Amino acid sequence: MAAFKLRRSLLYVPGNMPSMLQNIPIFNCDSVIIDLEDAVPLAEKDAARHLVKRFLLNYTDRNKELLVRINPLDSKWGYEDLKVVLPAMPDGIRLPKADTPEIVERLDTLLTEFEEELEVEIGRFGILPSLESALGVINAVGIANSSERIFALAFGAEDYTASMEIERSRGGEELFNARTRVLWAAKAKGIQAVDTIFADVSDMEGLRAETELAKRLGYTGKCLVNPRQIEVVHDVFAPKEYEVEYALQVIEAIKRARQLGTGVIALGGKMVDAPVVKRAARVLRTAYAHGMVDTLIDEEEIHGAQ
Amino acid sequence: MALNSLGREIPDSYAGKRLVPYRDAWSLRPEGAVAARPVKRVNPGEGKRLSSLREAIEASGLADGMTIATHHSLRNGDFLLNRIVAEIAAMGLKGVWIASSSVHPVHAEIIPHIKSGVIAGFQCGVNGLIGELASRGELSCPIVVRTHGGRARSIIEGSVKIDVAFIAAPCCDEYGNMNGYYGPSACGSLGYAQIDASYASCVVAVTDNLVPFPAIPVGIPQTLVDYVVVVDRLGDPAKIVSTTTRVTTDPVGLQIASYASQVIEASGLLQDGFSFQTGSGGISLAVAEKVRNAMRKGFIKGSFGCGGITGYFVEMLEEGLFSALMDVQCFDQEAVRSIGVNRAHQEISADMYANPFNAGSVVNRLDCVILGATEVDTAFNVNVNTESNGYLLHNTGGHSDTAAGAKLSIIVAPSIRGRLPIVRDRVTTITTPGDTIGVVVTERGIAVNDKHAELKEELIRRKLPVKDIADLQREICRVTGTPRPLEFADEVVAVIEYRDGSIIDVVRRVKE
């Protein structure tokens, strides 16, 4: 099992704005997606990727995950984006318009080639594919399985609604099927699912409602367009006090069970077994990131010594 | 020339007065009695109304070399100081000193009268062009910058003697009772003018709103007032107490505010009885909003909000989060409205607010204050007087007073301002000594003064980005580079008086 990485908040930062890039270290989002695609005008594509490269090279005390959204691979900029930015060691690539497994496989192959050339570990660069069209949503399962580099699937509602020839509403009912399908594909593969952006930065109530919906469905994080949105999103994804309390009890209970030589035990009249422990462990990892518990739970406590 | 304890070179004397170099924030003790003024008698039937400012100036006996004062509660909307100085000039007086509670950019009109010798100097700090011109050597007049509490002290102990105080009185009767609550020039609290009224040799009330006797509530009483003059307007209502008091929407500012509020929560001070002061800036208000939410969530009932009062604090009072507001100055119209109707919104004098030399001021009772800075140095010293260009541009206000008084003083400032790092090896000018600063909060990290070791540990435990202030400086300078130091001439253009009257720093002419 790969190391657990919390990804509640993935903040977009335009790749052509030095003033915003230099503030990346200060915001407490879990990941940043530096954008070379939609945020960057055609005339600045070239300058932006070099600016991003310089920024990444200078940003040595990395305190969050750094992803770069490149231009689509079938555009004339996509390959050049990779060539310039990868030597500066981002953590991964956000791939826009990941409509088919073949597109992701192509990126996977390119990344492997760059890794060989840069003499870094194969698989170092992750992939976060954007499912943002009807075709992408339909292909979600295939895409999730197209590369071992994929750590999460991201749903992009703005392009999706455009491809559906519909308007995006505040309640988001029109997104329900697509959201769910992307989620199933991610869960089936055992990876994270990241919800779409909420564009109105002054509507914190709307953001909260949409994030709560996404969390309830099973999404593990959300993309953001403004740092002001981080607090609301973290607040929604923060475990509730009683959840943390219960999770701690579950871990205690399972430790007792192990001492008794069993993997099942009752807690408050309810059965505690592997799935319950797994859920408790997830709650406690998130609680740790929120500073609600002091120590990170170790794998041995969850799975028992071999 | 002597070095003070912070390593600043202090001349032996300035504008004819011997200077005491700053040693520390606490040990200087006052001697003697409070200043005296003439005993007076006004018999039944005698009136106080005079027909013009000119008549009042003549009646007051103002002469060459004397000192006048006004208050700055009308802020940048004030007409009075300019009109008085113009009148004094027309009368042919020379060498008059100004000891107002502050001077604002609107008072740049005075500059020709400084050049012509009508005005000799300032027994107070200045905001804006006057200080800039002095810093550039284009204006020659001594400036003694004082804190709000330090000004009250200097007047009460008699080191500054006000000969004539002209008090803009938004609501006044013909016998001199006045308040600031009502009328077209309402400014709320008259906290600064209370000192002038009590200690000036002659007191002239100037009003644009004469009401039938008695003007109530009585803020400043008739017993202190010699003359009353009615003018058409005291100021421009659009600029009186017109601070924009809005919470910032800038993500960097909000990040700073978020850290600052978490520092307050971690400090353990946020419990029943909590007392708090912030300024009116966007970041300060963002901190206030977060503190307010934390108080609501924790059902915390605070004691008092203090200082320059904003509508934001008024809302907290009305919501029951504070039981009182201690108001030396109103920052916006909402505060003015409140002080006129709410008994729990208490007007206090600058003496009661912040004077270090009395039997205890309100700042001594503060738990926490949020303050700004133009620069901070690695010894936590703070500059609010000069900018990075070396110009004297801002008055001190209550900065050093509240920093010294509060249990926890928190500086909030963006790490980079105009491409320059906020943390320096040495601040250009020391306004407030590092010994009285608890925490410096920037968006890139939180630096905690060693004297708050427990708080530092708690912040680390809460996973907040606590950094050594020198590391913070290095981190910022990696983005900005290290600025070339400014060059100054020897000539002293202003002295920065600490609240106890010792000299914490001087401002020298900038070499250009």
Side-chain angles (χ1 to χ4, degrees), chain B residues 376-394:
Chain B
V376 179
D377 68 25
T378 47
F380 288 84
N381 296 314
V382 178
N383 177 14
V384 299
N385 297 123
T386 53
E387 294 268 351
S388 51
N389 52 19
Y391 297 161
L392 174 65
L393 288 172
H394 310 285

Side-chain angles (χ1 to χ4, degrees), chain B residues 9 21 48 58 74 103 108 136 194 226 231 250 254 332 394 399 412 427-428 500 509:
Chain B
E9 279 189 8
K48 299 186 182 180
E58 285 168 356
L74 303 179
V103 169
R136 285 159 51 177
Q194 287 187 29
D226 298 285
V231 295
D250 166 38
L254 287 169
D332 59 23
H394 310 285
H399 199 281
V412 291
V427 285
T428 308
D500 62 6
R509 181 167 66 75

Side-chain angles (χ1 to χ4, degrees), chain B residues 174-219:
Chain B
E174 62 175 11
Y175 218 49
N177 295 299
M178 69 179 96
N179 64 59
Y181 306 162
Y182 317 113
S185 302
C187 61
S189 176
L190 292 178
Y192 303 112
Q194 287 187 29
I195 309 302
D196 309 22
S198 300
Y199 291 88
S201 297
C202 179
V203 176
V204 179
V206 184
T207 187
D208 57 0
N209 178 33
L210 192 74
V211 299
F213 181 91
I216 49 164
V218 175

